Amino acid sequence: MTGLRQSQHLAREARHLAPGASEEAVHGRRVFAEGRGPVLTDLDGNQYLDFAAGTLTQSLGHGHPEVVEALTAQAGRLWNVHDSATPERAELLELLARLLPEQLDTYAFLSTGAEVVEAALRVVQATAPPGRNRIGALRHGFHGKTMGARMLVHWDIGHQAFSGNSVLGYSPYCYRCPLGLEYPSCDLRCATLVRQHIAEKPNVSALVFEPVLGAAGVIVPPPGYWERVAGACRDSGVLLVADEVLTGGGRTGAFLASELLGVEPDLAMLSKGTANGFPFALLAGRGELLRRPEAAAPGAYASTYASNPLGIAAARATLEVVERDRLIDRVRVLGEIMEDRLRTLESAFPQLGQVRGLGLLWGLEFVTCPVGRTPAPEVARAVYTTALDLGLRTSLGGHILRLAPPFTLDEALLDEGLRLLEKAIERVTS
């Protein structure tokens, strides 16, 4: 429960803070004062295992000493010289060339996930052949809150409709198939329709996609979906633009989720965990695209905080630890443990309709009953707040809870967090 000091602090903020915070902030009502590794401490001294890793951002946990040291040292040297070269930038470029797939050999540095999506859209628009003036995206996708990112998925605001020039295809949401089919007897009809509506259309220049749809509830495609869609796009000359803002950096058990799913993107966008939660974003692409004169006019990849030394320091420190300590291998090991435990919960609690995930990224979908599969946001909220009271922080969104603990978590704390989650579900649903 929220203590007196936290309640007083929240009331003080509410006098001036605009509403519109995330569901987890609204329903959690916690004031977090400190973070160390996988543990958060609130203003009243209560501690929580953070299985949301910030905003699914803290790959190395809170306050990782090497990231703190790198940021502190850089803050004492240099903060912002627009996008001018710095000694550390070349080192980060070479590190990325080791970690990313070989075809993604050219990089631009920005600040946020939405900003890097907008940069990728500019590249697509600048290099598209005449007549290819539309862009494909997937239903249930999320690419950010800026105008271009919203228009991709036809996200209207108020009474304003901004559909832009995008064409929507079917995402591989098997649990709620909009076509009323079942896998595998469906023969991946959703992928066939993406091929027909997007890949084979002569006026489509690119498909912007999340390999695993994160905000929608960690929707993991069935085998064959991306192979069929990516192959059709490649055959038709449609660029593959992977939104790895959430998944990039190792969270699914590969540096890019695309690698696990058999996709070779032409462009990839990363942010969130790439710099352990510090504002930083990366556009990675094929050199023949990012170096094209049409895409590389002066200022094309520049913005106020793009390529800033602090973001570069945080990203370099984070990724050096990921590489040196072989943390992506660790993600796979911990992910197998999580999957076993979460599958057990899925079998034990009928209102936990489906569990989905890869590596250290999992979604729990709550329903009123397993037959009708009616979404149960009230159950998800109750599990979220009950888990918080027990000392476990997760990520809440509608009727979905997402789990994304730090890569550095040990097995004992992973076990403890999953035990608390089970206890919370049991309290709410019994």
Side-chain angles (χ1 to χ4, degrees):
M1 300 296 289
T2 308
L4 178 60
R5 289 184 66 197
Q6 294 183 88
S7 295
Q8 291 173 335
H9 182 91
L10 291 168
R12 178 184 172 194
E13 280 195 342
R15 288 196 291 270
H16 301 288
L17 184 67
S22 64
E23 286 187 76
E24 58 193 58
V26 170
H27 297 293
R29 293 187 54 79
R30 295 303 196 277
V31 182
F32 294 111
E34 186 177 357
R36 290 288 181 271
V39 177
L40 288 167
T41 303
D42 70 23
L43 200 58
D44 293 314
N46 303 304
Q47 292 193 320
Y48 309 81
L49 279 174
D50 188 7
F51 272 34
T55 318
L56 289 71
T57 48
Q58 258 64 17
S59 303
L60 307 183
H62 297 276
H64 190 279
E66 292 181 57
V67 180
V68 171
E69 182 181 0
L71 278 169
T72 303
Q74 186 61 59
R77 288 196 301 270
L78 182 67
W79 280 38
N80 193 318
V81 284
H82 202 199
D83 55 354
S84 294
T86 58
E88 294 80 8
R89 188 166 70 177
E91 295 173 359
L92 177 57
L93 290 165
E94 291 166 355
L95 173 59
L96 289 166
R98 293 198 303 271
L99 293 171
L100 282 158
E102 185 177 2
Q103 81 273 10
L104 301 177
D105 60 1
T106 305
Y107 317 116
F109 299 139
L110 297 118
S111 302
T112 69
E115 187 181 29
V116 76
V117 168
E118 298 285 349
L121 293 177
R122 291 195 298 273
V123 173
V124 169
Q125 291 162 344
T127 60
R132 287 190 180 260
N133 58 359
R134 307 198 75 179
I135 297 174
L138 297 182
R139 291 174 173 85
H140 305 295
F142 177 79
H143 303 289
K145 297 178 182 177
T146 51
M147 181 69 81
R150 285 185 3 230
M151 290 171 67
L152 275 174
V153 293
H154 302 188
W155 177 8
D156 299 339
I157 299 292
H159 300 293
Q160 303 302 312
F162 298 110
S163 58
N165 64 345
S166 68
V167 182
L168 294 183
Y170 288 105
S171 59
Y173 198 173
C174 294
Y175 187 68
R176 299 187 181 279
C177 178
L179 306 172
L181 303 174
E182 294 284 341
Y183 179 83
S185 62
C186 63
D187 192 31
L188 293 170
R189 179 64 176 160
C190 55
T192 299
L193 291 173
V194 172
R195 187 193 73 210
Q196 293 174 353
H197 297 162
I198 294 175
E200 294 177 351
K201 292 290 186 181
N203 62 347
V204 173
S205 57
L207 171 62
V208 180
F209 65 96
E210 297 169 273
V212 176
L213 284 79
V218 191
I219 297 174
V220 180
Y225 176 88
W226 276 120
E227 291 89 340
R228 188 173 298 187
V229 170
C233 288
R234 190 70 64 210
D235 291 344
S236 301
V238 172
L239 295 178
L240 291 163
V241 182
D243 184 340
E244 302 245 10
V245 166
L246 168 58
T247 51
R251 181 153 293 284
T252 61
F255 195 74
L256 295 182
S258 302
E259 298 176 83
L260 289 177
L261 301 173
V263 183
E264 289 190 4
D266 300 289
L267 297 170
M269 301 91 80
L270 296 79
S271 187
K272 288 194 180 287
T274 313
N276 206 44
F278 192 87
F280 178 82
L282 164 70
L283 176 61
R286 296 180 185 272
E288 62 264 29
L289 277 175
L290 293 186
R291 297 178 188 275
R292 284 264 299 272
E294 301 92 332
Y301 306 118
S303 71
T304 300
Y305 302 107
S307 209
N308 80 83
L310 288 168
I312 287 170
R316 179 185 165 205
T318 300
L319 297 178
E320 282 179 346
V321 172
V322 168
E323 181 185 46
R324 183 196 68 208
D325 295 350
R326 301 181 63 86
L327 289 182
I328 296 177
D329 293 340
R330 179 98 184 126
V331 167
R332 288 194 287 269
V333 171
L334 294 176
E336 289 176 2
I337 296 171
M338 281 193 78
E339 179 169 14
D340 288 344
R341 292 286 298 278
L342 292 174
R343 297 290 178 212
T344 300
L345 297 184
E346 184 182 40
S347 301
F349 299 104
Q351 286 186 280
L352 180 49
Q354 191 180 54
V355 165
R356 304 179 290 263
L358 288 171
L360 289 180
L361 177 63
W362 289 84
L364 284 65
E365 182 161 354
F366 289 91
V367 295
T368 55
C369 73
V371 178
R373 299 183 181 180
T374 302
E378 69 285 352
V379 175
R381 284 195 297 270
V383 172
Y384 169 73
T385 56
T386 302
L388 264 181
D389 291 342
L390 291 170
L392 175 70
R393 179 174 179 260
T394 60
S395 177
L396 172 67
H399 67 295
I400 305 287
L401 286 185
R402 291 185 296 173
L403 307 177
F407 304 174
T408 50
L409 195 72
D410 63 38
E411 292 183 21
L413 287 178
L414 176 61
D415 182 74
E416 172 66 8
L418 294 173
R419 185 189 67 79
L420 293 174
L421 177 64
E422 179 177 9
K423 190 174 181 180
I425 297 173
E426 185 174 26
R427 284 191 182 181
V428 170
T429 62
S430 61

